[in-house]
Amino acid sequence: MSAVAIPLPGEVRSAWLRSRGGIGADAMLRATGAAGLLLIAILLLVPGSAAFLPLILTTLLFRGPISGLVPIGVEPVLMIYGQHYSPWLVAGVAAAASAYAEVVSQHLVRGMLDLSVLGRARQRLSTSRMMRLFHRRPALAIGITALSPVPDTLTRVLAAAARYPVGRYVLADTIGRFPKLFLPAALATTLHPSPALLLMIVGASSAVAGSIALARWAWRAPHQGG
């Protein structure tokens, strides 16, 4: 058997300091590595923290870049955890995962908008009435959208196109979203929903989201064809 090569401290330091891609991509990769190391440390040092790993992963999926394609939200998972843990703790963990997912989404959306093929769309968006409204109260718009049932894809794209600071965007989104994360967990402490009820909630939300998407497609198809 061949010996396994163990990287020396100098090699690890060199690999960490080496630039990878542009400034945004490099920062994103470093932040992901740091977040991964922090999560591993928490799982190892904090007793019982591994139980929250499904909540973290689910939130990252449902609140990440593909959130617009996922027909359901994280609410049923929050209600499951709310039956066993403090709603404040559940909402705090979900909010932290959601904040990181938004950081990733912002960098990906900004990278996509920088593509030359989207130059015209970016120009139209920059001069649109929606962008002018966003510039008036960007933090308020982000917070209200995060709190409301309105898909946050709109403010996510507007903030990326306007080059609104990522930190401010994530802060406003997290503050506005926190009540939506806390309420399902808090309700679960009094309602104690059964697994069957949670499955019904998932099915109903999926049906509503699918119906809305189908209605949009049915409305756009004839207009685009004409």
Side-chain angles (χ1 to χ4, degrees), residues 56-71:
I56 294 173
L57 296 178
T58 303
T59 306
L60 290 175
L61 174 64
F62 290 173
R63 294 291 317 127
I66 64 171
S67 60
L69 304 177
V70 180

Side-chain angles (χ1 to χ4, degrees), residues 122 124-136 157-163:
R122 183 173 62 250
R124 288 196 299 268
L125 180 62
S126 299
T127 58
S128 65
R129 180 173 180 270
M130 192 70 67
M131 181 62 79
R132 292 195 296 271
L133 292 174
F134 176 80
H135 276 300
R136 291 181 181 178
V157 173
L158 288 172
R163 288 299 189 266

Side-chain angles (χ1 to χ4, degrees), residues 6 22 26 29 32 36 44 47 51 54 72 76 100 129 150 154 165 168 170 174 180 217-218 222-224:
I6 300 177
D26 184 69
L29 287 174
T32 300
L44 292 176
I72 59 176
Y100 178 74
R129 180 173 180 270
V150 177
L154 176 62
R168 294 183 183 179
V170 174
T174 303
K180 290 174 61 176
W217 177 84
H223 290 79
Q224 291 176 350

Side-chain angles (χ1 to χ4, degrees), residues 21 29 36 68 72-73 82 99 106 118 140 149 153 161 169-170 174 179-180 198 211:
L29 287 174
I72 59 176
Q106 271 297 299
L118 296 178
L140 183 62
T153 304
Y169 173 86
V170 174
T174 303
K180 290 174 61 176
L198 293 176
S211 300

Side-chain angles (χ1 to χ4, degrees), residues 195-207:
L197 177 59
L198 293 176
L199 288 176
M200 290 177 60
I201 294 175
V202 172
S205 60
S206 300

Side-chain angles (χ1 to χ4, degrees), residues 11-226:
E11 294 175 340
V12 174
R13 180 175 180 274
S14 177
W16 177 258
L17 295 178
R18 188 182 305 124
S19 178
R20 304 178 187 278
I23 296 177
D26 184 69
M28 193 68 252
L29 287 174
R30 295 177 190 276
T32 300
L37 292 175
L38 177 61
L39 179 58
I40 293 174
I42 292 175
L43 294 176
L44 292 176
L45 299 176
V46 181
S49 59
F52 286 91
L53 190 58
L55 173 61
I56 294 173
L57 296 178
T58 303
T59 306
L60 290 175
L61 174 64
F62 290 173
R63 294 291 317 127
I66 64 171
S67 60
L69 304 177
V70 180
I72 59 176
V74 74
E75 288 80 9
V77 182
L78 293 170
M79 297 185 77
I80 293 175
Y81 274 86
Q83 297 181 63
H84 305 283
Y85 299 96
S86 165
W88 293 102
L89 177 60
V90 174
V93 172
S98 175
Y100 178 74
E102 285 299 336
V103 172
V104 175
S105 298
Q106 271 297 299
H107 282 284
L108 289 179
V109 172
R110 293 179 186 218
M112 291 180 60
L113 290 176
D114 286 339
L115 296 176
S116 57
V117 69
L118 296 178
R120 291 186 177 180
R122 183 173 62 250
Q123 181 63 30
R124 288 196 299 268
L125 180 62
S126 299
T127 58
S128 65
R129 180 173 180 270
M130 192 70 67
M131 181 62 79
R132 292 195 296 271
L133 292 174
F134 176 80
H135 276 300
R136 291 181 181 178
R137 295 287 189 275
L140 183 62
I142 295 167
I144 291 178
T145 302
L147 179 62
S148 70
V150 177
D152 56 5
T153 304
L154 176 62
T155 51
R156 186 180 289 172
V157 173
L158 288 172
R163 288 299 189 266
Y164 190 71
V166 175
R168 294 183 183 179
Y169 173 86
V170 174
L171 179 61
D173 180 86
T174 303
I175 292 175
R177 191 171 308 281
F178 191 86
K180 290 174 61 176
L181 300 173
F182 175 80
L183 185 59
L187 288 175
T189 61
T190 55
L191 299 180
H192 300 287
S194 63
L197 177 59
L198 293 176
L199 288 176
M200 290 177 60
I201 294 175
V202 172
S205 60
S206 300
V208 171
S211 300
I212 294 175
L214 183 61
R216 287 179 177 177
W217 177 84
W219 184 84
R220 289 178 180 177
H223 290 79
Q224 291 176 350

